[in-house]
Amino acid sequence: MKRARMLVLLVLLAGALGLAFTLRPHAAPPTSPRLIDALANALEVPAPPVEPALLELESFPDATGHAALAVPIPVEPVRGFVLRVLMAPTDGPRPAITLHSLNAAEAAAFGGQPRPIDGPLPGKELGPCLRSSRAPNGQWMCQRFAHLPSNAGAGLLVISGAANAVRRIEVLNADMPDWRTPGNPILSRLIRRAANASPTGSSWRTGLVARPGGRYTFEVTLPERAELWVGLGHEQGSRGAPVRFIARQDDRVLLDEVVPADLKWHDQRLRLEGEAGQRSRITLEAQAAGGTGEARGLWSTPRVMSASSAPNILLITVDALRADRLGTYGHGRNTSPMIDHIARSGVQFDRATAQSCLTWPSITSLMTGRYPLNTGVQERGQRPPPDLATLPQLLAAHGYDTFAGTDQALFPPIDLSDFDDADRINVFIKPSPRKQLERLAAQFADHPTFAWVHLENVHYPLTPQQPLRFDPGYEGRFQNAFTQEDHNQFMSPGDVTPREQEHINALYDSAIVDADQEIQAMLATLDQKGVLERTIVVITADHGERLGEHGAVLEHVAPHHSVLQVPLIIAWEGNLAAGQRIPSRVQLIDVFPTLLSLAGVPHPPGLDGRDLSPALRGEPLPEAPAYADCKGYFFAQYRGDELVIINPEGKESVLSYGLRTTVKPRELYDLAKDPSGQRDIAGEESARAEAASTALRAELERWKRRSTTTEQGHIGQAAIEALQQAGYLQGTPDPEVETARPRE
């Protein structure tokens, strides 16, 4: 009897565990594993490095009667650090805190001790300590991520105003851990994200710490024609020393190379011996190789790769591109000859919906196949749960090399998903993703590659190459550009004349031409290398734009039709029916399962998006509703030609430059009669509006009940500060007011 009861309990337990595993999002088993993802199962790992504080001060000279208190900071040039300053609780003015860089002579003259200072400040100002908030003990705290230029001798912290309110100063090395690091606090300290020089700017990668004496050992199952791909490099800093990198397969030495601290990645592709399915051990070992600096090596993106005939994928997103400004979607101006050509050679979805009015949550939905409420990402800086599979992560696990690029150095693609390589173009060269594609073309020819390129041409500020292309007779104040300052000052349609709004719209159209020409150059590069026919090309946008509509001169922080309706075009030479147009409404979340199907990769469970690949083969696509939300409090639903928007809590978005954006508690648009979505009929058709809004509220409740997470993930403070200092995150939210910054 006991044995029978035990058997029943085991069966019930197994069923419960099986149900839990089924409900929890998980990725398909990898066939070409990245070793960083397998770190928890490694046979051997080194002791994690210890990073002591660079500076800790709790007592300071009295600065009463002086202009400022100056504190020298002994940090290594180029190496990132985090500055934290704690101040006494106060409701009055707080100190003004700025960071300066001193050259060697200035550093020697100032000395190494804090002291009051009057008169001109030495060195070059790098910027303020931006973020200020209350610490748990009631003190105020500011933090800043920064690094000194390569020619610096020291840093200098300058505290003016109420300098005597400062209670503690800390300076820490910025480890910049990757956001998908294991929860184990020991293993997470072995993973670093770092940037080294690339031919077009800086290549950000995630790597395993390679300190002298450290060794990793992994047991892997060899795929067909296996290779070990790995980059050899160093953590950032100007005082690095050479590192000897040794890689072995079982007892065979694959690599033994000394790499100087030259701030470059040295990529290796090492052939592994053995039949497919054979078990083998991979060992990565680092040794000091002389020199007077500190040996801080990195094994960047180590992974076991296999031969594959899968297609390449080029995903191009054009920031703030609304569909109706393209020729292929009916626009009268010749804004998009290349995009129109791609649409004629591939499949065009006539009604595609973005999931958000902001870039960060919209791209996250595209990369995960889930609505913002189900990713937990509705603002910039937020993260989905680490175990929520992303498109590049799944493709990489099935043999793809993954790359992210952009035409803007300020946009952080690596912070939105998980890529083997994320390239930020140097601000001192002309931004051109074509240059990034040139160096990827050989890779496209040799191995399946997923490349995501994000173009910012169409996002404000509008500075097109030919500002008078579509409005040659205009001679007003916005003749050559609609700058960021213009955007911040002229917000509402009443701030500009109808003629000026007309020219702003023409600038927007001219900027689309710039993006179209960039796309043409990228595809020509792939075509010249003979790899375009093996490449799936996807063109879409994160959101659209309001152009003099719904109370905005040029803005998108509201879920109106001109913001949510985006282009979606998929082309694959010789594999899709050329010139096909699909009228059924689709969503950005559908791109995720569709590309996985085209690549032959299994879908993870629990997706909100649907696989569009049958429609790409010519099969009928049933109509389905589409949903979007803006900042987690404006919500929209499409059903056929009906668009309903609700603002359940009556919230208002206040942008940092003053524009106040809201929507009514309920708005309704009939797109069959009003294709541009300009006329709200909720008041005159109240019963219809009530039915539509009730259906949307019910859907929101369903999402909340089945949401896979109850907490929003956040990037680390160091990463937030890095983005702020780069200029992408402008300011910080007041805890009492919902805000949106100029760039999302």
Side-chain angles (χ1 to χ4, degrees):
M1 180 65 76
K2 280 187 176 181
R3 186 173 180 180
R5 280 200 297 265
M6 182 63 71
L7 182 59
V8 170
L9 288 173
L10 288 174
V11 170
L12 291 174
L13 179 60
L17 290 174
L19 177 61
F21 181 78
T22 301
L23 295 178
R24 182 176 181 272
H26 61 281
T31 60
S32 294
R34 291 188 284 190
L35 298 184
I36 291 175
D37 296 335
L39 190 59
N41 297 319
L43 302 179
E44 183 179 16
V45 298
V50 177
E51 299 286 0
L54 300 174
L55 181 69
E56 292 179 311
L57 288 177
E58 292 185 342
S59 60
F60 312 93
D62 186 358
T64 304
H66 295 274
L69 173 67
V71 182
I73 299 177
V75 293
E76 178 182 346
V78 184
R79 188 163 174 77
F81 64 90
V82 176
L83 166 69
R84 293 176 182 160
V85 181
L86 287 171
M87 294 159 277
T90 177
D91 294 324
R94 295 187 293 277
I97 303 172
T98 57
L99 180 66
H100 292 240
S101 171
L102 306 179
N103 61 34
E106 292 167 335
F110 189 89
Q113 298 300 316
R115 59 183 172 88
I117 189 171
D118 293 297
L121 298 174
K124 178 182 178 181
E125 183 176 335
L126 300 180
C129 188
L130 287 177
R131 190 174 179 86
S132 184
S133 59
R134 288 189 185 274
N137 58 6
Q139 293 182 327
W140 284 95
M141 177 176 65
C142 80
Q143 297 189 101
R144 177 186 171 94
F145 173 91
H147 68 267
L148 300 183
S150 58
N151 61 352
L156 188 71
L157 184 66
V158 178
I159 306 166
S160 56
N164 290 331
V166 174
R167 294 292 179 263
R168 180 177 175 84
I169 297 174
E170 297 177 339
V171 180
L172 311 168
N173 269 321
D175 295 346
M176 293 298 286
D178 188 84
W179 66 289
R180 288 188 179 275
T181 53
N184 185 308
I186 296 177
L187 296 182
S188 65
R189 288 162 57 194
L190 295 172
I191 300 175
R192 296 285 170 84
R193 195 176 65 183
N196 277 320
S198 75
T200 49
S202 57
S203 169
W204 284 83
R205 302 184 184 181
T206 300
L208 292 172
V209 169
R211 299 291 175 90
R215 184 167 59 198
Y216 302 85
T217 301
F218 302 88
E219 188 172 63
V220 301
T221 301
L222 298 178
E224 191 77 28
R225 285 180 284 170
E227 291 182 329
L228 175 65
W229 289 21
V230 65
L232 314 178
H234 293 74
E235 298 177 42
Q236 292 169 292
S238 62
R239 301 172 188 163
V243 172
R244 181 184 176 193
F245 292 87
I246 305 169
R248 298 185 180 88
Q249 180 190 12
D250 300 322
D251 296 325
R252 183 171 70 95
V253 176
L254 301 171
L255 169 78
D256 190 339
E257 182 173 336
V258 174
V259 176
D262 56 4
L263 299 182
K264 297 179 181 179
W265 296 118
H266 298 256
D267 291 327
Q268 304 286 336
R269 294 177 58 169
L270 309 171
R271 184 63 185 269
L272 299 176
E273 293 183 350
E275 301 294 327
Q278 178 180 323
R279 301 291 288 176
S280 187
R281 289 192 177 189
I282 303 296
T283 301
L284 306 177
E285 182 179 345
Q287 299 292 342
T292 58
E294 185 178 354
R296 298 185 298 251
L298 278 178
W299 299 95
S300 84
T301 57
R303 53 215 190 274
V304 176
M305 303 294 275
S306 61
S308 173
S309 59
N312 300 304
I313 300 173
L314 174 60
L315 170 63
I316 301 173
T317 52
V318 184
D319 205 313
L321 176 62
R322 50 191 279 176
D324 63 359
R325 308 301 283 202
L326 302 177
T328 188
Y329 284 87
H331 193 38
R333 288 174 172 162
N334 186 26
T335 57
S336 52
M338 188 61 197
I339 296 176
D340 299 348
H341 170 75
I342 298 168
R344 289 192 298 271
S345 63
V347 179
Q348 173 178 320
F349 293 87
D350 287 337
R351 298 190 300 170
T353 302
Q355 263 53 71
S356 177
C357 62
L358 300 175
T359 299
W360 202 293
S362 185
I363 293 295
T364 301
S365 287
L366 186 153
M367 292 292 182
T368 61
R370 297 170 187 265
Y371 291 117
L373 280 180
N374 291 331
T375 65
V377 177
Q378 290 162 328
E379 293 272 10
R380 69 180 61 79
Q382 294 176 337
R383 291 291 194 194
D387 60 352
L388 190 61
T390 68
L391 181 60
Q393 179 191 19
L394 286 177
L395 290 172
H398 286 79
Y400 275 77
D401 198 30
T402 62
F403 172 87
T406 176
D407 64 349
Q408 287 285 334
L410 303 183
F411 186 77
I414 198 171
D415 292 319
L416 296 175
S417 197
D418 194 17
F419 293 89
D420 297 319
D421 187 1
D423 194 71
R424 296 191 191 181
I425 292 179
N426 192 313
V427 294
F428 300 110
I429 67 174
K430 181 182 181 298
S432 176
R434 175 181 56 82
K435 293 182 172 63
Q436 295 173 325
L437 266 292
E438 284 176 353
R439 70 185 182 91
L440 282 178
Q443 190 170 304
F444 271 59
D446 181 65
H447 197 86
T449 301
F450 169 60
W452 168 44
V453 178
H454 187 77
L455 301 180
E456 289 263 358
N457 309 75
V458 186
H459 193 292
Y460 57 76
L462 297 177
T463 57
Q465 295 180 31
Q466 297 184 39
L468 299 178
R469 177 191 296 271
F470 296 116
D471 195 6
Y474 179 80
E475 297 180 351
R477 55 184 170 179
F478 309 128
Q479 184 175 34
N480 296 318
F482 191 69
T483 67
Q484 186 70 54
E485 292 72 22
D486 293 334
H487 174 265
N488 295 353
Q489 181 179 356
F490 305 106
M491 299 171 288
S492 302
D495 297 334
V496 299
T497 68
R499 180 69 181 91
E500 287 173 332
Q501 182 70 62
E502 180 183 337
H503 184 67
I504 293 168
N505 293 5
L507 289 172
Y508 179 87
D509 285 349
S510 187
I512 294 175
V513 176
D514 293 348
D516 188 77
Q517 291 175 347
E518 194 64 59
I519 292 172
Q520 181 181 19
M522 286 192 290
L523 298 186
T525 298
L526 297 182
D527 192 33
Q528 290 165 6
K529 302 296 183 181
V531 297
L532 186 56
E533 63 182 15
R534 293 173 45 196
T535 302
I536 301 168
V537 178
V538 182
I539 298 177
T540 188
D542 50 354
H543 54 74
E545 193 69 276
R546 293 181 295 173
L547 299 170
E549 305 152 322
H550 298 289
V553 171
L554 182 70
E555 188 50 71
H556 46 260
V557 188
H560 289 109
H561 184 61
S562 61
V563 174
L564 298 182
Q565 180 115 325
V566 294
L568 178 59
I569 299 166
I570 302 177
W572 185 10
E573 189 173 324
N575 291 274
L576 303 180
Q580 185 182 175
R581 298 186 65 154
I582 297 178
S584 304
R585 185 165 295 282
V586 298
Q587 308 178 79
L588 287 188
I589 53 173
D590 300 335
V591 173
F592 177 90
T594 302
L595 290 181
L596 290 180
S597 288
L598 295 178
V601 176
H603 300 178
L607 297 181
D608 295 317
R610 57 175 173 164
D611 183 2
L612 304 178
S613 61
L616 296 175
R617 296 191 295 267
E619 297 180 20
L621 182 65
E623 279 290 342
Y627 302 91
D629 78 61
C630 187
K631 297 169 67 65
Y633 48 76
F634 303 153
F635 300 93
Q637 178 188 56
Y638 286 93
R639 285 188 181 275
D641 288 320
E642 183 179 84
L643 169 63
V644 63
I645 301 172
I646 62 173
N647 181 3
E649 299 178 25
K651 285 194 175 183
E652 182 179 59
S653 172
V654 183
L655 280 73
S656 60
Y657 49 89
L659 179 64
R660 310 181 80 86
T661 299
T662 190
V663 300
K664 300 172 188 174
R666 182 175 65 204
E667 297 181 16
L668 184 68
Y669 300 88
D670 187 336
L671 301 176
K673 300 177 181 178
D674 174 25
S676 62
Q678 296 300 308
R679 184 167 173 264
D680 176 16
I681 61 172
E684 56 193 86
E685 297 196 34
S686 57
R688 180 181 173 186
E690 177 62 27
S693 59
T694 298
L696 176 52
R697 287 189 177 91
E699 186 66 20
L700 295 178
E701 288 301 318
R702 188 176 71 84
W703 288 348
K704 292 176 183 178
R705 285 195 300 271
R706 75 176 185 87
S707 176
T708 59
T709 178
T710 57
E711 296 183 2
Q712 295 174 333
H714 293 263
I715 61 176
Q717 182 60 46
I720 289 178
E721 297 300 320
L723 298 180
Q724 286 178 324
Q725 303 308 322
Y728 193 83
L729 305 186
Q730 303 292 331
T732 42
D734 185 313
E736 303 300 324
V737 181
E738 295 284 355
T739 62
R741 267 68 75 197
R743 298 187 63 81
E744 77 282 345

